[in-house]
Every structure is written in C-alpha cells, then in structure tokens.
Amino acid sequence: MRFGLTILPEHRWSDAAPMWRQADEWGFDHAWTYDHLTWAGLPDEPWFGTTPTLTAAALVTERVRLGTFVASPNYRHPVTFMRDLLALDDVSGGRVIAGLGTGGDLDSRLLGDPGLSVKQRVDRFEEFVTLLDRVLTQDHVDHDGEYFRAQDARTLPGCVQQPRIPFVMAANGPRSLRLAARFGAGWVTTGPKVDTLEEWFTAVGALSERLTQTLADAGRDTAGLERYLNLDSSPQFSMESVGAFEDLVGQAAELGFTDVISHWPRPEGVYAGRREVLEQVATEVVPRLRRDLA
C-alpha cells in the first residue's frame, strides 16, 4: 500500500511551502493538488494555478511524487499541457504523475463553452488522452479532431519520453475504464455519492471488479495497473480520527487498492480536521500499516 496526500491550491506559497515540504519529510509516496479554475467546494476562497504550484512544490521536496488531481480537457489543450508536464517533470527530476479525468461542468462554463452531454465529454476525453500520449511520445504530430487540432506539434527528440510520464486515469464508466486499461499506469476513483460507508465500499468494490474485467478483456495483466482510491470521497473524512483512517485504509486494502489518497485537514468547512491527527497518521500509523500490509 502507498499513501498520498492532497494539498489544495488555496494557500499563499509562504504558507503552502512548509506543507509540501512536510508531506515529503513525513514520507508520503505521492502528493497532489486539484486542477480546476474554480472548485465548487470552495468557490469563495483564494485559488492558485496547478502547474505553478506543483513546480514550486518540486523545488521544496526531494522524493515525493507530484500529481494533478485531476487535469481535464475543460480548459487544457494536449499540446500546451504537454509543455507544462515536460517542464514540471524536468524540474522535479521525473516525479510527475498526470492525473487525468473528463472534467465537470463548472470549469467548462467559466470559459463559455457549450454544455456537453456525458457522451460528448467522454468523446472529448478520449481524444485528449490519445493526443496527449502522442505528443509526449512522438515528434512532428498532426491531428485534426472534433475537439482538438495540432499542426506539426514538436515534442523534439530530446524530450520524447519512453516511457512517458505516467497517466493515472479517473474512470467509472465503461468507456473511461477502457481508456484507463489502454493508457493508464494507474486508475483512480472517487466512487459514487452515497449515504453510508457500507454503500460506498460496496460500490467501489464493484468498480474495481469491473476494471479487472476490462483489463482482462483488453489482454492486459490485471495486476499491472495501480489502483488509487480517494478516501475522502467517502461519507467519512479520513483524517477525522486515527481510527477512521485505519479503518478506511484497511477496507481499501481488502478490495485490492494499491494506493490511497487523503487530504490535508482544513480548519473548517470541507475536509475539516486537526493537524494533530494528520501528524499522528503520518508518523505512527502509516509506517505501521506499510509493515502490516506489505
């Protein structure tokens, strides 16, 4: 089991830098920040850019992997995003994870884009991921699609990646799961919005089983894809208490998840909790769980 921590991009860097540095020193395997123009959970709070935040985080950390949670085609083009990822991967010494998803409504509306159906959103996501994969692994890329275009997009031989930056694909539906099986180094899920933990873990387990079948249908090793679970999409905040964290991780492990992601506690509102719980989880519980779940 590997452990991740999400630090929302709501903090001025003078406050955020010690948090990223601490996550690294505590030994978390990966650290993430949200990739939105505005997040519906904190619409009235300060909000800073994702790739600049992760670049700054790369400069104050040494070993923790750094991820977008998750980038979407709502306001990103594969060619320009490729440039950001290459720069971030270079600055971080190869520690970048590209978390990718279809995206929600709010970011799309902010730029005045027409509303897309679920099918259209998945169509766009498939085109986005396919082109992003191409421009990271090939040079001189041409593409004329429904949602994106590129004319002689240069990655340049010195930047072409083999293997490329890992994609961790957010997916719940059948088509998105097939995309994860095709392009993903990992799969991440939030599960559905339900009332009880029992309902949530039942649904998450069913999704994991569906992914296993999708991998098998694609002829891919079912154990060859990392499985990430966002614990804090459940009805209980993982950092509410040490016991809550241990229970959630234990159930995730039973379902075969290789990685879990929690959030740095906030003083109030969404993800409200105490830093003391996070510190105890990081310094005592996570090392013990690593041994117990090895």
Side-chain angles (χ1 to χ4, degrees):
M1 179 70 73
R2 290 177 293 266
F3 298 86
L5 188 64
T6 300
I7 300 171
L8 298 181
E10 60 176 321
H11 309 280
R12 293 191 177 278
W13 188 244
S14 57
D15 297 320
M19 299 167 71
W20 288 92
R21 189 180 295 112
Q22 186 68 78
D24 191 45
E25 293 173 354
W26 274 333
F28 281 96
D29 297 285
H30 30 79
W32 309 76
T33 201
Y34 283 8
D35 192 25
H36 295 289
L37 295 177
T38 297
W39 182 47
L42 292 171
D44 300 317
E45 296 298 319
W47 202 256
F48 296 96
T50 302
T51 50
T53 295
L54 291 176
T55 303
L59 296 175
V60 298
T61 58
E62 296 181 356
R63 45 155 303 281
V64 67
R65 298 169 72 191
L66 304 169
T68 56
F69 198 37
V70 291
S72 81
N74 266 340
Y75 66 96
R76 294 201 178 277
H77 189 288
V79 175
T80 55
F81 191 43
M82 170 266 290
R83 287 284 181 235
D84 285 347
L85 288 174
L86 289 176
L88 178 55
D89 201 49
D90 180 58
V91 172
S92 68
R95 291 186 282 133
V96 173
I97 306 171
L100 306 175
T102 57
D105 291 328
L106 183 55
D107 285 337
S108 182
R109 289 201 305 268
L110 287 174
L111 298 183
D113 290 344
L116 298 179
S117 67
V118 173
K119 179 185 180 301
Q120 289 172 319
R121 190 162 288 156
V122 178
D123 289 342
R124 184 181 63 171
F125 183 52
E126 181 173 5
E127 187 178 335
F128 175 83
V129 174
T130 302
L131 182 53
L132 182 61
D133 174 76
R134 288 184 63 201
V135 294
L136 283 169
T137 58
Q138 304 173 29
D139 199 11
H140 297 287
V141 172
D142 292 309
H143 178 81
D144 186 11
E146 183 175 357
Y147 297 97
F148 302 103
R149 290 171 177 79
Q151 183 174 344
D152 194 26
R154 300 298 312 276
T155 305
L156 304 176
C159 293
V160 167
Q161 292 199 322
Q162 298 291 346
R164 62 153 164 73
I165 292 167
F167 293 173
V168 172
M169 309 278 285
N172 289 333
R175 285 182 61 199
S176 296
L177 287 171
R178 289 196 294 271
L179 280 175
R182 180 181 172 191
F183 290 104
W187 164 68
V188 61
T189 185
T190 59
K193 292 187 182 299
V194 292
D195 295 327
T196 68
L197 273 177
E198 182 179 1
E199 291 176 295
W200 189 71
F201 274 111
T202 297
V204 164
L207 278 172
S208 186
E209 291 176 1
R210 194 179 306 162
L211 174 69
T212 297
Q213 184 60 55
T214 302
L215 291 168
D217 292 344
R220 183 168 175 181
D221 180 6
T222 57
L225 191 76
E226 298 171 349
R227 303 183 187 216
Y228 294 72
L229 181 60
N230 178 14
L231 296 178
D232 296 331
S233 293
S234 80
Q236 182 174 36
F237 179 44
S238 63
M239 295 292 173
E240 177 182 304
S241 67
V242 170
F245 182 83
E246 290 184 284
D247 178 62
L248 291 169
V249 172
Q251 293 191 67
E254 289 178 4
L255 293 176
F257 282 89
T258 61
D259 296 73
V260 293
I261 302 171
S262 301
H263 288 68
W264 191 292
R266 302 179 68 254
E268 59 184 8
V270 64
Y271 308 134
R274 295 181 295 117
R275 178 193 163 100
E276 292 78 10
V277 171
L278 170 60
E279 185 168 359
Q280 186 175 354
V281 163
T283 60
E284 300 176 18
V285 179
V286 166
R288 173 165 49 79
L289 289 175
R290 287 189 201 278
R291 294 191 300 269
D292 294 345
L293 298 173

